[in-house]
Amino acid sequence: MRPLACFTLIAGSVFSQSFYLPDDAVPRKETVQLTIDPSRETFEGSVSIDIDLKAATSVIWLNAKNLTINSASIEQAGTVHPAKVIPGSSERIGIDGGQFAPGAATIRIMYQGRLDDKALAGPYRRKVEGEWYAYTTFAAIEARRAFPCFDEPRFKTPWDISIRVKRENKAFSNGRQISEIDEPNGWKLVKFATTEPLPAEMVAFAVGPFDVYDGGVAGHETPVRVITAKGHAEEGRAAAQATAAILPRLEAYTGIPYAFGKLDHLALPAGAYGAVENPGLITYRTKSLLVPPKQETAAFTRALRALQAHEIGHQWFGNLVTQASWDDVWLSEGFATWISAKMMDQDLPPERVHLTAIAARERMMAVDYSARSRPVRIAINSREAARDVYNRVVYEKGAAILLMLEGWLGEDQFRDGLRAYLNEHRFGSATTDDLAAALRGASGNDPSRVLSTFLNTAGVPELRGQLLCDRDSPPRLRVTKANPGSVPVCWRASRVPSSCTVLEGPSTEIAMPMGTACPAWFYLNSGGTGYYRTHWTQAPLPALPELSSAERLTLVYDLRASKNAAAQAALARLVSDAEPEISNAAREALK
Ligand SMILES: [Zn+2]
């Protein structure tokens, strides 16, 4: 829900009360030229934004924060109108140039911005080993500190970026460099290729005396580089090798080659996040990205691959297809978290698949049980709320929901649904409903109600199962559910293969096939992929030799919550499990 504006001023000003820009101007392309010397606290910029006006208007609103505007104009139908700048709020400005008709127009603004040497967001600068560098971290709402723009994910446009820098410096941005032209007084102008459509928050640039580790090409011939502070290029080798391992896996899974031309990994001395997935210029904290070759360890390589699988995974989930609003940011972060675990599982034998994801889900459930938990989807309507865009729930519960959907709909059907979703919304925006439609098309099952249950409410569903066997009818499995909403449950029993049912009401009876004898055991989370807690009054001891590792680990966590003698006995057996995650979790549960 969006709060209503509480008063009305002149036309247009009503929107200055809202966190979101009005719908009457839609950007089509943004051209940015910057002049940056990282040793100076200020930088100069000019933008030219092609827009479509949906209605006649006199004021066009766009985002700008802490920028000093020197001049502004609007060109329409070949006439340039000088414009007045209306300060709207600390987040936006209005460009007032008279009356404009619906149709194409171009806004031009000259301005000055700041390169803070303490900030972690927006454009900022740092001194590294005696040299000044400029960096950016824009997500979610800080691109507006670097240039006036339409700073919301629903506005995706191509970007033409060029940066004037001192000749001793290098410059990088999302696109590959297409030219470098010397200018007077020791400057040069570096131009970058026009980007694919990107939201403002995914634009990035960097200026300084960087060094570059050339990682050759990976996957479908994408050039890979690691950009480091001066003198540290060799420390980028492990990162380039990780990309060579991970990028082809993501291309194979999605069926779509990497779409952003080149892939640079840039080391930041400081940043608000562990990494940011800017297409073509992914940024990381230095200590997560770089390592001197002699200090490379298996653990560092694994962590780096998992981090890259998340960030490169975003190039499909978040960048190729962007959530239409921050409310749906789980379509980026849930997916990147889920696909990172899935790509990392490819290094493991099949019996160890999902163990990492299930352990992460258990940590998430502990948070989700707490009264302070929040739903995955919440409305973002203010700068304060925007701080919560990247809440842990969005990542971890989002990923656990995807694991559940994959288990319920089927691994191949789920992948085919995701490929359809990516192809249909390629270079555009999408919503949770778009995802549901694609998954329904590929699997024949509509996940809309399940998604609504798990995304829009906090908490963990609690299930209980009971076998009902009598002489006159086939055995039945009665499943009761303590929480409202739709929960897909995949179950199996001795001599009865796995199948799935969506539980709607508080109690459901599932009939087993004709001729089935009363099973010796049943298990309510086939594959261990469901996001719910099963309560056991009697632990399924005879099932243990039949359960997969993922199911046994899930069982350990469920038994821990059951706290009865049967559960304790089963946990005591699981302490000697062959998989260390399972035996350790069982030992912990018995403490
Ligand atoms: Zn992410």
Side-chain angles (χ1 to χ4, degrees), residues 118-131:
K118 304 281 187 305
L120 294 170
Y124 56 95
R125 65 196 183 117
R126 284 291 190 283
K127 208 173 204 178
V128 179
E129 294 168 2
E131 310 263 11

Side-chain angles (χ1 to χ4, degrees), residues 199 250 459 504 580:
L250 287 159
E504 302 284 357

Side-chain angles (χ1 to χ4, degrees), residues 275 277 310-311 314 332-333 336-337 395:
E277 66 270 21
H310 180 110
E311 300 308 328
H314 272 307
S332 287
E333 298 304 346
T337 307
Y395 292 68

